[in-house]
Amino acid sequence: MIVTQTVEYIEKSRCTGCGACVNACPGGSVTMKADEEGFPYPSVDSSACNNCGNCVTCCPVINPPTIPENQEAPQVYAAWTIDEETRYNSTSGGIFTELAKAVLQQNGYVAGARYNDRHLVEHAMIDRSEDIALLRQSKYVQSETKDIYRQIEAVLKKGNPVLFVGTPCQCAGLKVFLQKPYDNLILCDFICRGVNSPMVYLKYLDDLESEYGSRIKLVWFKNKTFGWNRFCTKIIFEDGQEYLGGRDTDPFMFGYIKKDLNLYMRPSCGQCEFKGVKRPVDITLGDFWGIRLRESSDDTDCGVSMLMLHSERGQKVFDRIKPYLHYEKHMLAELVPFNTCLLNCAKQSEMRDIFWKNMLNDRFTDVMENMKTTGE
């Protein structure tokens, strides 16, 4: 975390961009600024800084949240909502929607990632069930947290329940920022492969708008037109045209997951310090890839969620939503082989440097065409 223009408390490559330091600064002297790859990093206006040290105290890399020593191995479930429309419109099995509904029904709030009017991703808080869809689905670009931690703290102090969903580093950032436990906070992370550069993502969208001659209306990663197992990227344009990019052919997804390229993933994601089975959260969500259900006639291709319950609080909210789910308990060993990013980082390839050398001067689509040829 860079907290002055000249002094680094940690190496830049370890900074996750979680934004805890920005939220912790009482005078607003810490702001997030994009580097040459488009990733946000904290920087301080030294003339406004009073050297209180809050930014360092609340950095989850410097001061990672503790995991209870007596935390048992998590309970693992395969599950999906029985609401088929919700299931289809969700990335996996629609469990987030059911969790959100349960918290909102208790006069609570839900904080998660949404698209803004530029299709960039930012964290926001909702208190109406009609807005759950805004926070639904995977978004493969780094989310801007802005002042969301401060918003959450204010609600928690009033006694309202809050469900926060974010990357493992964002959950760690919130927990360290709060500096005290709250019984009315439900922390939910997910199996994270890594976050991508907002700059590259925007260039990808710009190329699509140029190709289709229309502005983009909706971005939908992991769309289920071809099924959950063969997910695609769906882009809807304002003039009604649609783009469907296969998981192996869409240029953005190719550079992210194909052949383990990870070309525009944040550097800290390649050495993530928040992996593991035991976590300082209540619930971990993910796709239950490779699942073999006990009832083989059940349709897995509509999406199956993986839930890991780490705490009594997580178990309680899961018990509340059980009537709205199909669920089965499974062994942790069934999950790990198909979700390596639960334990391991997605390593960045040597081709990353080649990509960035060309990216700064050429169109994203052209660079990716060359990368595909090089990588095959």
Side-chain angles (χ1 to χ4, degrees):
M1 180 183 58
I2 304 173
V3 295
T4 71
Q5 299 294 345
T6 57
V7 178
E8 295 184 359
Y9 281 89
I10 61 170
E11 299 87 350
K12 180 182 176 182
S13 62
R14 295 177 65 200
C15 174
T16 68
C18 73
C21 54
V22 174
N23 283 259
C25 179
S29 60
V30 184
T31 57
M32 301 297 282
K33 295 183 179 180
D35 71 350
E36 64 278 1
E37 294 184 353
F39 290 109
Y41 288 90
S43 178
V44 164
D45 177 359
S46 57
S47 65
C49 177
N50 65 5
N51 295 308
C52 68
N54 285 1
C55 54
V56 178
T57 301
C58 292
C59 173
V61 176
I62 297 174
N63 299 296
T66 58
I67 300 174
E69 291 184 3
N70 61 346
Q71 186 185 89
E72 298 180 355
Q75 301 294 308
V76 177
Y77 292 87
W80 62 80
T81 175
I82 58 178
D83 183 328
E84 288 304 315
E85 181 179 358
T86 296
R87 187 183 181 191
Y88 178 80
N89 287 308
S90 301
T91 295
S92 47
I95 303 304
F96 160 72
T97 294
E98 299 300 343
L99 291 171
K101 286 162 61 176
V103 172
L104 293 174
Q105 287 167 1
Q106 293 186 311
N107 196 32
Y109 292 76
V110 178
R114 71 176 182 189
Y115 289 112
N116 64 19
D117 56 5
R118 296 182 59 210
H119 307 295
L120 288 169
V121 182
E122 62 185 19
H123 260 70
M125 190 152 56
I126 64 169
D127 61 359
R128 306 186 312 160
S129 59
E130 305 94 284
D131 294 331
I132 292 176
L134 297 174
L135 309 183
R136 192 186 286 154
Q137 302 170 356
S138 294
K139 302 170 180 72
Y140 294 121
V141 64
Q142 177 141 30
S143 172
E144 191 175 0
T145 51
K146 296 186 176 179
D147 65 344
I148 194 66
Y149 301 154
R150 288 200 295 262
Q151 292 183 46
I152 291 171
E153 183 180 43
V155 172
L156 291 172
K157 286 181 175 179
K158 292 179 181 178
N160 299 81
V162 176
L163 168 65
F164 176 80
V165 182
T167 61
C169 59
Q170 289 171 338
C171 287
L174 173 59
K175 194 160 189 175
V176 177
F177 165 81
L178 292 172
Q179 293 290 294
K180 59 176 285 189
Y182 284 88
D183 291 337
N184 50 333
L185 172 64
I186 302 167
L187 274 178
C188 179
D189 68 4
F190 50 85
I191 299 176
C192 181
R193 181 184 177 85
V195 296
N196 293 307
S197 163
M199 180 178 73
V200 172
Y201 163 77
L202 285 180
K203 288 194 173 187
Y204 160 68
L205 297 186
D206 287 345
D207 286 355
L208 283 172
E209 288 186 337
S210 296
E211 180 181 349
Y212 281 77
S214 178
R215 296 186 63 83
I216 290 172
K217 180 180 180 181
L218 176 70
V219 178
W220 188 346
F221 286 113
K222 290 182 78 172
N223 174 266
K224 297 175 183 174
T225 296
F226 305 131
W228 172 59
N229 288 287
R230 295 176 57 241
F231 62 81
C232 67
T233 299
K234 184 175 184 177
I235 307 289
I236 301 177
F237 297 86
E238 291 182 353
D239 65 359
Q241 295 183 87
E242 293 185 1
Y243 162 82
L244 287 175
R247 60 176 294 174
D248 296 328
T249 58
D250 176 81
F252 187 81
M253 294 304 294
F254 183 93
Y256 180 36
I257 63 175
K258 189 66 173 175
K259 298 182 183 296
D260 292 325
L261 289 176
N262 309 311
L263 295 174
Y264 26 84
M265 191 172 65
R266 189 179 181 97
S268 61
C269 298
Q271 52 180 337
C272 178
E273 301 177 38
F274 302 96
K275 298 287 185 183
V277 172
K278 295 186 177 183
R279 298 178 175 221
V281 298
D282 301 298
I283 301 171
T284 296
L285 296 178
D287 294 279
F288 211 131
W289 300 122
I291 184 65
R292 292 187 177 182
L293 297 173
R294 285 185 280 276
E295 179 51 67
S296 59
S297 63
D298 284 326
D299 182 8
T300 62
D301 205 34
C302 286
V304 180
S305 293
M306 182 286 307
L307 287 93
M308 296 175 65
L309 304 178
H310 301 278
S311 70
E312 183 179 348
R313 188 181 298 117
Q315 182 67 57
K316 285 181 178 179
V317 70
F318 178 57
D319 290 341
R320 286 192 61 203
I321 68 173
K322 279 181 178 179
Y324 311 103
L325 306 180
H326 172 97
Y327 62 93
E328 293 183 356
K329 192 171 183 179
H330 284 264
M331 302 295 291
L332 180 64
E334 299 175 65
L335 168 69
V336 174
F338 299 96
N339 279 281
T340 59
C341 286
L342 173 69
L343 305 175
N344 304 307
C345 301
K347 298 300 182 181
Q348 294 160 334
S349 72
E350 297 177 356
M351 297 177 69
R352 189 181 191 277
D353 291 340
I354 299 174
F355 169 82
W356 280 106
K357 181 179 179 180
N358 295 322
M359 185 67 231
L360 299 178
N361 300 313
D362 299 327
R363 293 172 69 249
F364 170 76
T365 305
D366 293 339
V367 173
M368 287 311 302
E369 282 299 320
N370 292 331
M371 297 302 292
K372 285 182 181 181
T373 302
T374 304
E376 292 176 349

